[in-house]
Amino acid sequence: MLQQILRAPALKAVLIQALAFPLMLGLVYLLARAGVGMTLFSVALLQGVLAALITWRTGLARWWCAIGLLFAPALLAASALELPPLLFLLVFIFLLGLYWSTFRTQVPFYPSGPAVWRAVAQLIADRPGVKLIDIGSGLGGLVLDLARRRPDGQFCGIELAPLPWLVSSLRARLVGNPARFVRGDYVALDFADYDVVFAYLSPAAMAALWMQVEKQMLPGSMLLSYEFKIAARAPDKTIAATERGPLLYVWCF
């Protein structure tokens, strides 16, 4: 666990901000010596630019560059609003419940949409009694939709973050949908228990997912990944679920 935390991009992002800070102070000092005055916001923006550049050089995912760029200016803007501390606590609790262990898994909240759900429904149309698992099921849209369409199938979603899991579970109960939602990490699953595995994760997670898939998925089963490819093997089929949107990739076993 300690090694996972030390490798976490969130920790690297904090260290990058710390590294950018003395560099920013040095540049501000040199500019002041040259007669160039800077406002507090421009200093915060300079900190963000330096953090974004270092983030890019370290090879973190592109969204960390945006986070590095905006962190200091956003912090300054939030302090200027003089909001009550309770509001910051509530926002923190909400974001923690939504993203939970994103710092470790590198899988942020990515919701799919009805066009993708329809494409998946077509792919499994010829599989009576299909067993499908959505790993990282978010708010449960795909699983709920498929369970409505296919009462003969078994549809389950697994989600690590507590808030999306709670929302999806409540949605199923409120409308009497037979879909099942489990809170946990998909790495603890045995994919041999399912005919179809659907994933909408992130580029950082695909290599480890493929290792698990190769070991566990049985002949005749199918892996679906929305937007993100697997480098180790080209997909057997590619589907454009939406115009100009991400593609749905299919691997057959």
Side-chain angles (χ1 to χ4, degrees):
M1 177 64 71
L2 179 59
Q3 291 181 347
Q4 289 180 330
I5 293 175
L6 292 176
R7 291 196 301 265
L11 179 58
K12 294 179 182 178
V14 172
L15 295 176
I16 286 171
Q17 289 288 341
L19 176 60
F21 186 72
L23 297 177
M24 177 272 294
L25 290 179
L27 286 175
V28 170
Y29 174 76
L30 293 175
L31 289 171
R33 289 289 301 270
V36 179
M38 298 186 70
T39 64
L40 192 57
F41 180 78
S42 61
V43 170
L45 186 59
L46 178 60
Q47 165 76 13
V49 169
L50 291 171
L53 289 174
I54 298 172
T55 302
W56 173 69
R57 289 293 298 172
T58 57
L60 289 179
R62 60 185 181 272
W63 58 78
W64 286 107
C65 295
I67 292 172
L69 174 64
L70 298 175
F71 179 77
L75 191 63
L76 180 63
S79 63
L81 293 175
E82 298 182 353
L83 298 173
L86 179 60
L87 180 60
F88 285 99
L89 177 61
L90 293 175
V91 171
F92 172 77
I93 293 173
F94 172 78
L95 293 176
L96 181 64
L98 182 62
Y99 292 103
W100 198 245
S101 63
T102 297
F103 74 93
R104 175 176 62 85
T105 62
Q106 302 185 57
V107 180
F109 178 64
Y110 283 141
S112 58
V116 180
W117 309 342
R118 289 192 295 269
V120 174
Q122 292 175 359
L123 285 169
I124 64 173
D126 60 350
R127 292 174 177 259
V130 62
K131 295 181 180 180
L132 180 145
I133 181 80
D134 180 358
I135 55 175
S137 53
L139 300 179
L142 171 70
V143 179
L144 292 167
D145 182 78
L146 293 176
R148 283 193 297 267
R149 293 173 184 266
R150 293 286 303 276
D152 64 307
Q154 298 180 36
F155 301 96
C156 179
I158 185 167
E159 173 60 51
L160 192 56
L163 184 58
W165 165 77
L166 179 61
V167 170
S168 58
S169 299
L170 289 176
R171 290 178 68 188
R173 291 184 181 183
L174 287 173
V175 299
N177 191 296
R180 187 168 63 93
F181 294 96
V182 178
R183 183 174 176 267
D185 195 335
Y186 71 84
V187 299
L189 296 175
D190 185 353
F191 289 159
D193 296 333
Y194 304 95
D195 304 312
V196 182
V197 175
F198 177 87
Y200 190 16
L201 302 177
S202 80
M206 300 310 292
L209 172 63
W210 182 248
M211 291 177 61
Q212 183 174 355
V213 163
E214 276 196 309
K215 292 178 182 178
Q216 297 178 349
M217 293 194 74
L218 300 177
S221 61
M222 186 165 55
L223 170 67
L224 311 177
S225 176
Y226 185 51
E227 186 170 356
F228 305 115
K229 285 185 178 181
I230 290 170
R233 175 179 155 183
D236 297 302
K237 185 183 298 185
T238 301
I239 298 172
T242 58
E243 288 187 20
R244 302 179 182 179
L247 299 174
L248 177 63
Y249 301 103
V250 183
W251 290 267
C252 300
F253 295 87

